Amino acid sequence: MNKKLMKAILAVATSVMIVAPQVAGAVEVVSANTSTVSAKALAMVERSISISRADVHKHTDKESAVKVQGVGLTIYAYFQSDDGKEVTLFAEKPDGDNYVKRFAKSGTTNINFDDGKTAIHRVKVNISGQIPQPIEQSYVTINDVIKENASDKGIVVGMRESLYDNGSTQVIKPSGNVYDGYKLQGGNQTIKVNGDMTVTFVYMKESNTGGYVPLNLDTLRSTLTSADNLKEGDYIASTWEAMTKVRTASRKTLIDGVTQNDNKSGSMTQATINTANTNLQNAIKNLVKPVAPVRLNVATLQASVTKFDNLNEAIYTPASWKPLSVSGATGKTILTKAIVQNSSNA
């Protein structure tokens, strides 16, 4: 082996520190320790890289990958698929050569890149976090309804649908359509999306719009219908009780609004109707379904306690028996509590 090659190997064998760049995905500060097995062996370069499944949509190719550099090799880690299961580890040398490894295992995995020239590159890949759950979306149907009188059911003359994230707050604007002889009542409506919903814009016949402007009650009426279709037994009692109180108040607001529209006179505003609707939507969203009790698996602990009970204290030294007896007593206590809990959840 010539002296220049020997000097290069010894230089690579020195312990170095590599600081990973600040990239979303929590790349840690890496210690790359190298060593040589013999004068002829390739150096073993070790480094670590971390990537979180929570960032599956942030790191999808080399440009957005989490990376570390050092000792003539740049390591990129990114998710190959949207489901966050398969990870691509891409190693690139300055001369353009590269190596690709793909794997799906969670936890810590060691991957070796042997370039056969300067070093064996061992990369410890830590895949952490949970795959993010997709945000559920719902359709909001937006109707244009014309009415001759405020108490009429009305005729749907325009319809459109939009898809929104559940839990989001949306400002729904009128379509801008013009219906000859009819005038839009009110303006934008603010809703909190919680399942498929309907928003209605009412257009009254212009001859009936002079003086009193009718309240738009259709969206509140639709939300009340959704609440009435829910089943009490599906939810925790305290959250159901809270929802029913809001539902009762919202129903009273609707009745008062109908009375005001029929009388074509009153002090209730459209804002009051909209607030009642939003409050009821939030109460529905806050309903919580009960979680089934978890049954503890005590088989392994039971076997350990039984094994302890069958031991003969006389054949052991006091010094070794004492910590064992403490552990045995603790195990029995935990086992007893677990059995009682399982009985209560039966």
Side-chain angles (χ1 to χ4, degrees), residues 37-337:
V37 177
S38 67
K40 295 182 179 181
L42 294 177
M44 173 65 77
V45 182
E46 295 185 345
R47 71 196 74 186
S48 299
I49 189 169
S50 296
I51 186 167
S52 172
R53 291 194 190 281
D55 295 325
V56 59
H57 300 303
K58 296 180 182 178
H59 308 300
T60 56
D61 52 27
K62 176 183 171 183
E63 285 67 29
S64 61
V66 176
K67 67 179 179 179
V68 291
Q69 295 175 310
V71 199
L73 201 72
T74 303
I75 306 294
Y76 301 85
Y78 58 90
F79 293 100
Q80 184 71 13
S81 53
D82 288 340
D83 60 11
K85 293 181 180 179
E86 188 176 60
V87 173
T88 292
L89 199 67
F90 181 89
E92 182 178 73
K93 291 185 62 185
D95 60 12
D97 289 342
N98 58 70
Y99 321 93
V100 177
K101 302 279 187 179
R102 291 192 176 93
F103 55 98
K105 182 179 178 182
S106 294
T108 301
T109 302
N110 288 330
I111 302 292
N112 289 345
F113 294 103
D114 184 355
D115 60 28
K117 297 177 182 179
T118 60
I120 298 174
H121 302 268
R122 174 170 293 168
V123 184
K124 181 176 290 185
V125 186
N126 179 45
I127 308 174
S128 61
Q130 299 293 322
I131 300 173
Q133 295 298 315
I135 298 175
E136 293 185 359
Q137 294 187 310
S138 297
Y139 282 99
V140 175
T141 302
I142 306 163
N143 292 333
D144 287 351
V145 174
I146 59 172
K147 293 185 177 185
E148 299 293 322
N149 298 288
S151 58
D152 294 347
K153 183 177 180 181
I155 301 172
V156 177
V157 292
M159 179 185 295
R160 53 197 164 109
E161 284 188 332
S162 295
L163 194 62
Y164 297 111
D165 293 346
N166 277 351
S168 66
T169 299
Q170 301 293 333
V171 177
I172 309 299
K173 298 180 179 180
S175 63
N177 295 336
V178 176
Y179 304 103
D180 289 342
Y182 293 87
K183 183 178 180 181
L184 174 65
Q185 307 301 296
N188 297 345
Q189 296 189 45
T190 301
I191 63 170
K192 178 157 287 190
V193 181
N194 183 43
D196 293 344
M197 301 171 59
T198 299
V199 174
T200 301
F201 289 98
V202 175
Y203 294 76
M204 289 292 298
K205 193 168 184 177
E206 288 193 279
S207 60
N208 294 330
T209 58
Y212 176 71
V213 177
L215 299 169
N216 183 351
L217 307 173
D218 292 350
T219 302
L220 176 57
R221 187 178 284 111
S222 175
T223 304
L224 277 165
T225 299
S226 298
D228 290 339
N229 289 334
L230 299 174
K231 296 180 180 179
E232 179 177 359
D234 292 341
Y235 302 98
I236 293 176
S238 58
T239 62
W240 179 263
E241 182 180 354
M243 190 280 290
T244 56
K245 288 181 179 179
V246 177
R247 181 176 61 179
T248 299
S250 298
R251 198 184 308 281
K252 182 179 184 304
T253 300
L254 176 64
I255 293 171
D256 291 345
V258 170
T259 300
Q260 178 169 309
N261 280 349
D262 289 342
N263 295 333
K264 298 182 180 180
S265 176
S267 59
M268 183 178 291
T269 65
Q270 187 64 48
T272 300
I273 301 297
N274 295 344
T275 298
N277 183 67
T278 299
N279 290 343
L280 182 54
Q281 288 178 343
N282 288 338
I284 293 173
K285 179 184 176 182
N286 292 333
L287 286 171
V288 178
K289 293 187 176 183
V291 178
V294 177
R295 185 170 182 82
L296 302 173
N297 185 349
V298 299
T300 302
L301 179 57
Q302 178 71 72
S304 297
V305 169
T306 301
K307 184 176 181 179
F308 169 75
D309 287 339
N310 290 331
L311 295 176
N312 183 356
E313 179 181 355
I315 67 175
Y316 300 97
T317 64
S320 63
W321 179 260
K322 184 176 180 180
L324 178 61
S325 64
V326 173
S327 297
T330 302
K332 287 182 178 181
T333 300
I334 294 174
L335 177 62
T336 300
K337 291 181 179 179

